């Protein structure tokens, strides 16, 4: 009886291979549906990148900052994700200074925490140390940047690795996230190094209290080829910020460069009474030598509006004006009777504040449609040609014009080649353009924020104006500041410094200065 079970067991063992073969074939013909869906490789890759970026950002946010002394100030340096890069210096509560120092997905934020009383008092007691401040600042910035780079590497690796471990729960995947984060940071650092622009300190952008802007941005001076421009200009900015944090808590007086003539360009006020207070404030803060208004001061150009012009007499600087398409002849007659106003029309030229101006009124008068309406109308072209003819006549007489003024850019473009600089308005936004034959065209935005009618919209249009810096000897444009207020007379502003290409450090100096104005 014992043989029967043994034989049956042996038979079942022999059948095992055949059973496995049938099972394998059945699985191939009828695949088993898995309940867990495997993600696509691209999806996994995108998920990993998202984990790396979020983890790196959290790491920088939590531990990626360095406290570093810069000259007499205590600062906090931080790297932040950014689409444009650059450097932002926060001078709370006065505002912020932005520099286009590099192009990379990372921005360097420098927060000025406080002024160290010991180091600042040492500068006050020993002003001769200011001459060596540039080397001290450069060394402090270099040390702080190196510390920030090391800490940022640790922060992004720790953040990405930690988040990767929390999401994937696999050490190898978490380490891969940390390695990828370090690689991305190194790539961003290499991009920033390759695009580093030390001369960006010459063209800063300030946003904050308008009264602080002149002192922080500093003078526009004649720029010549020089070495170590970054250290020198950075030291100048630090010195200005130090003054702002003086123990008296008062802003330093703005001492303009005596080698420049400062022209305030306004346009398209359109009966906004807030404009006069802003203009008067700028004249005082920037020590303006002359104001140029390229028209559309009014809205309907009627005699009833003339009382709006009375504050012009108390602005504190000579006022050069041309008629816009919203200004009537009665407006022009009223301004001509003011002692400090110089009305330009029919190519008339005058000398004001060491500069020679010539201009022409707009041939169109929009309120009564008395002339062809349209930005590119034939009347504008003819007016521009008449102004250009007057410029050539002045040149022949030995009294060349430095700045021409017209309201419409179409008329202004007709002066190309006959004057170094021509000013216009009309289009309610700021532009700077070098025309075909070398004349530089400056178009001003609306210094009235589009006028009172702009209040009909949800957001008031910005109030825009510019300060032009011209060399007192050559009377050529050295730099300009674009000023933009938030509309409706807000106290905050953006001030952007710009330099013509020929005035960038390293550019050859002009060898053809114009003839001095009589």
């Amino acid at each position: 009886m014992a043989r029967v079970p043994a034989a049956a067991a042996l038979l079942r063992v022999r059948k095992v291979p055949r059973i496995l073969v049938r099972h394998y074939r059945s699985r191939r013909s009828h695949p088993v549906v898995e309940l867990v869906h495997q993600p696509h490789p691209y999806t996994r890759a995108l998920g990993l990148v998202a984990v790396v970026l979020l983890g790196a950002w959290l790491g920088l946010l939590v531990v990626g900052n360095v406290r570093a002394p810069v000259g007499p100030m205590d600062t906090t340096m931080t790297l932040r994700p950014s689409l444009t890069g650059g450097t932002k210096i926060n001078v709370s509560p006065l505002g912020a200074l932005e520099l286009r120092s590099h192009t990379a997905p990372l921005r360097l934020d420098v927060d000025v925490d406080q002024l160290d009383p010991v180091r600042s008092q040492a500068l006050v007691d020993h002003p001769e140390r200011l001459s060596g401040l540039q080397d001290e600042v450069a060394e402090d910035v270099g040390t702080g940047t190196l510390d920030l780079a090391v800490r940022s590497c640790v922060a992004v690796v720790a953040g990405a690795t930690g988040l990767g471990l929390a999401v994937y729960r696999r050490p190898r995947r978490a380490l891969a996230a940390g390695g990828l984060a370090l690689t991305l940071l190194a790539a961003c650092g290499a991009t920033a190094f390759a695009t580093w622009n030390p001369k960006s300190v010459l063209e800063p952008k300030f946003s904050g209290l308008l009264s602080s802007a002149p002192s922080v941005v500093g003078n526009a001076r004649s720029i010549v080829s020089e070495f170590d421009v970054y250290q020198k200009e950075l030291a100048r900015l630090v010195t200005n910020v130090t003054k702002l944090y003086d123990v008296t808590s008062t802003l330093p007086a703005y001492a303009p460069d005596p080698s420049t003539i400062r022209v305030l360009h306004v346009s398209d006020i359109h009966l906004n009474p807030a404009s006069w207070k802003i203009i008067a404030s700028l004249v005082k803060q920037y020590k303006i030598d002359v104001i140029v208004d390229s028209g559309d001061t009014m809205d309907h150009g009627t005699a009833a509006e003339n009382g709006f012009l009375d504050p012009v007499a108390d602005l504190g600087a000579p006022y050069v004006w041309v008629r816009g398409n919203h200004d009537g002849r009665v407006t022009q007659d009223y301004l001509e009777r003011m002692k400090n106003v110089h009305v330009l029309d029919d190519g008339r030229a005058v000398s004001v504040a060491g500069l020679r101006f010539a201009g022409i009124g707009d041939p169109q008068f929009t309120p009564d449609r008395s002339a062809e309406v349209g930005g590119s109308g034939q009347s504008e072209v003819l007016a521009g040609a008449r102004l250009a003819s007057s410029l050539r006549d002045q040149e022949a007489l030995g009294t060349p014009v430095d700045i021409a003024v017209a309201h419409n850019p179409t008329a202004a473009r007709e002066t190309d080649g006959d004057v170094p600089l021509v000013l216009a308005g009309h289009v309610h936004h700021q532009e700077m353009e070098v025309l075909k034959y070398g004349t530089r065209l400056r178009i001003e935005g609306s210094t009235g924020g589009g006028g009172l009618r702009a209040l009909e919209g949800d957001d008031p249009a910005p109030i825009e104006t510019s300060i032009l810096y011209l060399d007192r000897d050559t009377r050529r444009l050295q730099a300009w500041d674009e000023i933009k207020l938030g509309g409706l007379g807000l106290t905050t502003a953006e001030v952007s410094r710009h330099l013509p290409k020929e005035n960038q450090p390293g550019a050859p100096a002009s060898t053809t200065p114009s003839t001095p104005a009589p």
Side-chain angles (χ1 to χ4, degrees):
M1 296 296 296
R3 292 184 178 179
V4 176
L10 181 60
L11 182 61
R12 285 196 298 269
V13 171
R14 290 177 178 176
K15 290 181 178 180
V16 168
R18 291 196 294 270
I19 293 172
L20 292 176
V21 170
R22 285 197 300 268
H23 178 70
Y24 175 73
R25 288 176 178 174
S26 65
R27 283 180 58 88
R28 293 192 61 185
S29 59
H30 302 286
V32 178
V33 178
E34 296 183 357
L35 296 179
V36 180
H37 176 71
Q38 294 296 327
H40 193 278
Y42 289 147
T43 304
R44 290 200 301 268
L46 289 176
L48 179 62
V49 171
V51 168
V52 167
L53 294 178
L54 180 59
W57 179 75
L58 290 174
L60 287 176
L61 193 64
V62 175
V63 296
N65 57 73
V66 169
R67 295 291 300 273
V70 176
M73 299 179 300
D74 291 327
T75 68
T76 300
M77 297 184 178
T78 312
L79 288 179
R80 291 281 184 257
S82 171
L83 296 177
T84 57
T87 299
K88 185 175 183 180
I89 305 173
N90 298 301
V91 193
S92 178
L94 303 175
L97 200 67
E98 297 181 31
L99 309 175
R100 291 173 291 183
S101 57
H102 63 277
T103 303
L106 289 176
R107 184 186 72 201
L108 174 62
D109 283 3
V110 181
D111 296 323
V112 179
D113 299 324
Q114 63 180 2
L115 189 68
D116 184 270
V118 176
R119 298 199 300 272
S120 60
Q121 188 62 41
L123 287 177
V124 174
D125 296 338
H126 304 281
E128 67 275 5
R129 290 187 56 188
L130 287 174
S131 59
L133 182 61
Q134 62 191 46
D135 296 328
E136 180 183 346
V137 168
E139 183 178 354
D140 290 344
V141 170
T143 303
T145 304
L146 181 60
D147 292 344
L148 179 62
V150 174
R151 182 178 286 265
S152 297
C153 290
V154 175
V156 299
V157 171
T161 303
L163 186 60
L165 189 61
V167 172
Y168 297 113
R169 301 181 184 277
R170 296 179 182 177
R172 291 183 61 184
R173 187 67 63 87
L175 291 175
L180 180 58
L182 184 60
T183 302
L184 290 177
L185 181 63
C188 292
T191 303
F193 181 79
T195 59
W196 181 249
N197 177 25
K199 298 173 184 178
S200 61
V201 291
L202 297 175
E203 300 184 81
K205 177 182 179 181
F206 175 81
S207 58
L209 297 177
L210 179 59
S211 58
S212 308
S215 300
V216 177
V217 174
N219 277 318
R221 53 185 174 76
S222 299
I223 305 296
V224 296
S225 178
E226 58 184 7
F227 296 103
D228 301 327
V229 63
Y230 178 67
Q231 289 88 341
K232 292 180 180 179
E233 293 302 312
L234 186 60
R236 180 179 62 83
L237 290 177
V238 170
T239 302
N240 288 346
V241 172
T242 302
K243 292 178 181 179
L244 295 178
Y245 276 89
D246 200 321
V247 292
T248 59
S249 299
T250 58
L251 295 174
Y254 175 63
D257 190 339
S259 69
T260 61
I261 302 174
R262 293 161 299 284
V263 178
L264 178 62
H265 183 198
V266 303
S267 190
D268 296 87
I269 292 174
H270 286 292
L271 287 179
N272 189 341
S275 300
W276 299 129
K277 293 183 179 180
I278 295 170
I279 292 172
S281 175
L282 291 172
V283 168
K284 182 179 180 180
Q285 292 174 44
Y286 283 86
K287 305 295 189 294
I288 296 298
D289 295 297
V290 58
I291 305 166
V292 177
D293 186 342
S294 50
D296 271 6
T297 313
M298 302 304 213
D299 230 3
H300 301 90
T302 62
E305 296 173 328
N306 283 345
F308 173 75
L309 299 169
D310 290 344
V312 171
D314 301 318
L315 292 178
Y319 202 85
V320 176
W321 183 86
V322 296
R323 187 179 67 253
N325 60 294
H326 281 267
D327 303 317
R329 291 283 179 176
V330 294
T331 306
Q332 182 163 317
D333 294 340
Y334 191 80
L335 283 170
E336 284 179 335
R337 292 194 292 270
M338 291 188 178
K339 293 183 179 180
N340 67 320
V341 176
H342 304 269
V343 174
L344 304 180
D345 199 7
D346 298 323
R348 176 184 174 224
V350 295
S351 295
V352 184
L355 297 171
R356 191 151 180 84
F357 298 89
I360 193 165
D362 199 303
Q364 303 183 77
F365 185 48
T366 299
D368 68 359
R369 302 291 193 261
S370 61
E372 176 191 1
V373 177
S376 58
Q378 187 64 22
S379 60
E380 297 290 351
V381 175
L382 292 175
R386 185 173 182 178
L387 177 58
S389 177
S390 175
L391 296 174
R392 290 190 290 270
D393 291 343
Q394 290 289 324
E395 182 77 27
L397 292 172
T399 56
V401 171
D402 304 307
I403 301 177
V405 190
H407 176 67
N408 196 304
T410 300
R413 286 188 170 90
E414 295 300 312
T415 65
D416 186 17
D418 296 315
V419 68
L421 177 64
V422 59
L423 307 181
H426 186 62
V427 296
H428 291 202
H429 63 264
Q430 296 176 325
E431 294 182 24
M432 182 70 86
E433 176 186 357
V434 178
L435 302 177
K436 181 179 179 181
Y437 297 108
T439 293
R440 184 179 293 273
L441 169 62
R442 174 63 187 176
I443 302 176
E444 192 52 76
S446 174
T447 311
L452 297 181
R453 288 177 296 175
L455 300 178
E456 296 173 358
D458 295 334
D459 298 317
I463 293 175
E464 296 179 315
T465 183
S466 300
I467 297 173
L468 312 176
Y469 302 88
L470 289 89
D471 185 88
R472 194 171 291 276
D473 295 326
T474 66
R475 302 189 305 282
R476 296 302 176 95
L477 185 67
Q478 299 296 301
W480 71 95
D481 289 344
E482 293 182 355
I483 300 176
K484 181 182 297 186
L485 279 75
L488 207 60
L490 299 180
T491 57
T492 57
E494 289 184 357
V495 180
S496 303
R497 168 65 48 79
H498 302 273
L499 300 177
K501 289 184 178 179
E502 60 269 22
N503 275 7
Q504 295 285 352
S510 174
T511 56
T512 57
S514 55
T515 305

